[in-house]
Amino acid sequence: MRHLKKGRSLHRKSSHRKALLCNLAVAVLTNGRIRTTEAKAKEVRGLIDRIITWGKRGDIHARRLAVRQVRSRTVVKKIFDELAPRYRDRPGGYTRIMKMGYRHGDNAPVVIMELVDNPTSEQ
């Protein structure tokens, strides 16, 4: 039974999974969009929302929490200086997941995950 077991394991140990999710979050926050599997995108969505909400808080404790998760001071600076003002009036839901199809090798569902209102994603 899966009582009190939250989240997807992604067939990795906990330390590997935590590192994977942090790296995916940094990639989305740096580039604005990434191409990944649907399960990974759905799992990292909550982490990205939490980090951007810390950026909207703007205090020193929120900055320290973000540095602890992201592990890159340049990305944290971008979150607090660029992303937080952009999403000031938005109560949540900072990411969008668009299904792209299936991967050729293992038929895994592939998606594009991007930040909502991303100026680089406009055609």
Side-chain angles (χ1 to χ4, degrees):
M1 289 184 278
R2 283 188 48 90
H3 295 254
L4 299 176
K5 296 189 183 298
K6 187 174 98 174
R8 295 165 180 82
S9 69
L10 300 174
H11 300 289
R12 290 164 171 83
K13 294 186 179 182
S14 62
S15 60
H16 187 188
R17 183 173 53 249
K18 184 177 176 183
L20 171 79
L21 294 178
C22 287
N23 289 336
L24 283 173
V26 168
V28 170
L29 294 170
T30 303
N31 303 321
R33 69 176 4 183
I34 59 170
R35 181 176 175 264
T36 184
T37 62
E38 187 175 6
K40 290 177 189 173
K42 286 182 177 180
E43 195 63 27
V44 78
R45 176 176 47 190
L47 180 62
I48 292 171
D49 286 354
R50 192 174 319 124
I51 291 169
I52 292 177
T53 303
W54 288 334
K56 286 170 56 175
R57 266 181 38 193
D59 58 348
I60 191 69
H61 182 61
R63 189 175 291 266
R64 287 176 178 160
L65 289 172
V67 168
R68 189 170 68 179
Q69 280 292 332
V70 173
R71 299 187 188 107
S72 171
R73 292 186 186 266
T74 58
V75 175
V76 170
K77 183 169 174 44
K78 179 179 179 180
I79 292 166
F80 279 76
D81 294 342
E82 296 176 25
L83 297 179
R86 185 190 315 167
Y87 297 118
R88 183 182 319 113
D89 299 329
R90 192 176 190 92
Y94 309 113
T95 56
R96 172 185 303 126
I97 296 176
M98 297 181 294
K99 297 184 180 191
M100 294 302 295
Y102 297 94
R103 192 162 53 197
H104 181 66
D106 59 354
N107 209 28
V110 177
V111 299
I112 287 184
M113 181 176 199
E114 66 180 4
L115 294 172
V116 178
D117 300 334
N118 191 8
T120 61
S121 68
E122 305 298 323
Q123 273 73 315

